[in-house]
Amino acid sequence: MTDQAVDTGGAQLSGHAATEGHFLGRTRELKDLRADIERTGLDTISGRKAPRARVLLIAGRTGSGRSALAEELVRQVAGRYPDGVLRARLAEPDGTPVPVERAARELLAALDVPTPPGADEDDLASLLRETLAERRALLLLDDATGAEQVDALLPDAPQCLLVAVSAGPLTGIADVRPCTLGGLDTKSALDLLTRYTGSVRVTVDPRSAEQLVETCQGQPAALSLAGGWLAARPQAAVADLAKQLHAEGDEGTVLSRVFRLVHSALPAPAARTLRLLSLAPAGLADPHTASALAGCSVGAARTTLDDLVAAGLLRALDSPLPQYEVPGCLHSLLRTAAEAHERPAELQLARARMLERTVRLLQSCRAITETDSPQAREKLQVMPRALRFPTPRAAADWLHARRPALLASARLAVADGELDTLARRLMSQLVRAMVAHFGTQAAAPDLYGIHQLVLDVAERRRLPREKAAALLNLADVDARTGRTAEALVRYRAALDAGREANDPYAIGRAMESVGGAHLELGDYDRAADWFGRALAQRLARDERADAARLYGRIATAHTYAGRYGEAQRAWRAAVAGHRKNDDVGAHARALSELARVQEYAGRPEESLRTCEEAAEWAGRAEDTRLQAALHLRLADTLERLGDPAAARLHRCAAERILEQEPSDGVEEPDRPDITEDACEIRSALSKD
């Protein structure tokens, strides 16, 4: 049984939940738990309808089989809950409680319910209860650290069932009777041992096998490790292991004694890799993680990980990519072993190697999407083959599969309260990869979490420059997901932080963003004012390209407000700026917008001349889409001026341009912010 592994509380086939024929013992506990589902609650006895879901609690120490029992119970009763089974783990491998906000977001994602970016714990818990109000679902909350966590996620739906796994009672949740676990019964414990050793060694020496079970106190985790040790030594008798465990003495728990024996028997490279896996983010590892931690090749790391699975020391996850989980019951033991065998500097170096490998994988993951960029292709070519993704789809699959570990890596990078260069690079590359593959809208909740990590550290360490950057990033996510009022508040806070840091970039960016938020909210006067402030700063710093762009944004605000004279002056300034900067494409687009505003202002002849000039510059810029659009606009203007013949010529010219345009993969060029969309809206309003 080389594919056996121990999970956080029991033995089961790696990569799969406990299924019938694999789960051992606990017959009485399962019977009691199933009966407890149907038990009449206190509310029913008093004549009131049960206001909330029934809660079943499985309590026991890590390694007692509590998670395996919960999974088996869920398997047996899942058919009663047509809206599915939802799972969440409420503690990190080191025992740190998972925030309710994160757990609620994961549960809502499993229900395919969009979660508002930036929503707090109360909002998300309320949304979860609202979503489950009309559903019949089963929730499995593993590793709960306290009643507050469970209560926040408890549905107000009596037709739902919540199964909680915890080390002790959940005092504070009404009408809960815990199912407290001890060791397995002797028969089940022997059956578990037999899965590793085969039946012969247990049958020929039943007394030693029973003594081993007694020494392990019937704990599934300890028995699994003992079975893995025996499976790796076909010539060893059960009595040999029992004697060695007896020689270990009584120091520590039974699980720690078995672990010490198993760990000491591993080859030195495998033992070191196992110890360093205590640094794996969220207890999740893949061959790259193990390779970076141990400083070995990816192939050697994969072999070592599979060997550790066979020994019952890791669990292989059911994933399209090779992924492994450090059992929760072993995490503290691995950390203790790492601190005892590795110098602090070695642990710090291993952590840095792992985070650096993550950064490079994220760079590769993003670069594969930039197929039209020579710089991106060059970066990919210089990367080692092991770090490259063959296709964008493969990169997206990796990003999706490793998402929990990557987010945990971000938390790990700032866990010491510092924002060093490696942490900054990791945050930056993770954000860029997620946006490239998932889009800002879909990735917004995760982006919020990443930027909030930076903000928390910046506020604690009083780093105004980093605080300004984090606030700008958070506000950008707000703005792109329709939370403009919230974005405005953050942009103003970013401006204050930028001024405190005396950071010209942050100040200018925040000013412009404040103007953009006011524009989106329909306050065109304030928008123009803030764009003007940003423009003054750009001009003072001789940042000509940004200044020309800001003239366009000021013109947009005036256009929205119907101040066409001021809008024309601003667009002419933008045209002059782009011409001086020798930006042919931007010059053509600015002329196009000027022509549009002239038409709004009732000056069709001027608009006609400007539009013709814009079409000429668009041709020089090889912007065929804009060139064709300008010819069509010229045709419309000429028709209104009573010259249908000339209009037909321009329509034919537009058709010829579009026919010559390549049909594969050509995208419309970027336009300056929302200018053209704004003018389209104003055009519709003017016609009305």
Side-chain angles (χ1 to χ4, degrees), residues 221-222 246 252 271 345 541 561:
H246 183 71
R541 294 174 57 81

Side-chain angles (χ1 to χ4, degrees), residues 263-276 294 304 308 341-342:
H263 172 263
S264 64
L266 289 173
R272 181 170 182 270
T273 300
L274 177 64
R275 293 192 298 268
L276 292 176
T304 300
L308 293 174
H341 289 80
E342 315 291 338

Side-chain angles (χ1 to χ4, degrees), residues 101 105 115-121 123-124 444-445 448 477-478 483 490:
E101 175 268 330
R105 203 177 286 282
T115 54
D120 61 19
E121 172 184 313
D123 291 337
L124 290 170
Y448 254 92
V477 178
D478 275 327
R483 294 160 54 91
R490 292 190 195 273

Side-chain angles (χ1 to χ4, degrees), residues 3-70:
D3 60 345
Q4 288 245 311
V6 58
D7 72 351
T8 55
Q12 59 187 47
L13 288 181
S14 63
H16 299 278
T19 54
E20 191 171 7
H22 297 151
F23 185 79
L24 293 171
R26 307 296 191 194
T27 304
R28 177 182 57 79
E29 290 89 344
L30 281 168
K31 181 180 178 182
D32 290 345
L33 285 165
R34 296 189 64 168
D36 210 29
I37 298 174
E38 309 298 337
R39 178 175 58 86
T40 301
L42 297 178
D43 288 290
T44 304
I45 292 174
S46 63
R48 298 190 302 269
K49 182 180 179 181
R52 310 186 81 180
R54 170 59 55 85
V55 178
L56 301 183
L57 172 61
I58 299 174
R61 293 179 296 178
T62 57
S64 63
R66 60 187 191 180
S67 297
L69 175 59

Side-chain angles (χ1 to χ4, degrees), residues 159-181:
Q159 71 276 11
C160 293
L161 174 67
L162 189 149
V163 178
V165 177
S166 178
L170 298 177
T171 306
I173 298 180
D175 205 20
V176 178
R177 292 189 304 184
C179 173
T180 305
L181 298 187

Side-chain angles (χ1 to χ4, degrees), residues 73-109:
L73 173 66
V74 167
R75 186 196 68 78
Q76 291 186 12
V77 304
R80 305 182 191 179
Y81 301 90
D83 291 309
V85 177
L86 307 174
R87 292 176 171 82
R89 179 159 289 174
L90 301 185
E92 301 284 6
D94 62 359
T96 303
V98 169
V100 171
E101 175 268 330
R102 195 196 314 165
R105 203 177 286 282
E106 294 293 337
L107 291 169
L108 287 165

Side-chain angles (χ1 to χ4, degrees), residues 485-657:
E486 292 84 349
L488 179 57
V489 173
R490 292 190 195 273
Y491 283 136
R492 286 184 175 276
L495 178 58
D496 292 339
R499 285 170 172 162
E500 182 183 351
N502 195 23
D503 183 346
Y505 170 79
I507 293 170
R509 168 101 144 70
M511 284 180 175
E512 183 176 352
S513 298
V514 169
H518 280 303
L519 185 71
E520 187 70 21
L521 292 170
D523 192 341
Y524 309 129
D525 292 336
R526 283 184 177 163
D529 176 56
W530 280 100
F531 288 147
R533 297 185 197 188
L535 173 63
Q537 192 219 35
R538 300 295 189 185
L539 290 173
R541 294 174 57 81
D542 198 28
E543 296 172 349
R544 298 180 181 180
D546 286 324
R549 180 176 52 77
L550 278 163
Y551 276 121
R553 300 208 74 179
I554 292 171
T556 300
H558 289 316
T559 303
Y560 268 130
R563 296 188 289 265
Y564 300 130
E566 294 180 50
Q568 290 178 72
R569 285 192 292 274
W571 274 123
R572 287 193 181 97
V575 168
H578 290 310
R579 184 172 58 248
K580 288 180 182 178
N581 297 329
D582 207 19
D583 189 338
V584 179
H587 185 190
R589 291 192 291 272
L591 282 169
S592 169
E593 299 304 331
L594 174 58
R596 196 189 296 268
V597 176
Q598 288 170 336
E599 186 175 348
Y600 298 159
R603 298 181 177 182
E605 291 81 5
E606 287 185 31
S607 175
L608 195 64
R609 289 193 298 272
T610 306
C611 203
E612 289 172 343
E613 185 182 356
E616 180 183 346
W617 281 96
R620 295 181 191 179
E622 298 182 353
D623 189 339
T624 54
R625 295 282 182 90
L626 178 59
Q627 191 179 12
L630 287 165
H631 278 292
L632 291 173
R633 194 189 302 169
L634 282 165
D636 291 340
T637 304
L638 287 165
E639 282 183 349
R640 285 195 293 272
L641 292 174
D643 192 348
R648 283 195 297 272
L649 290 175
H650 281 288
R651 291 192 189 280
C652 290
E655 291 174 4
R656 285 196 305 272
I657 292 169

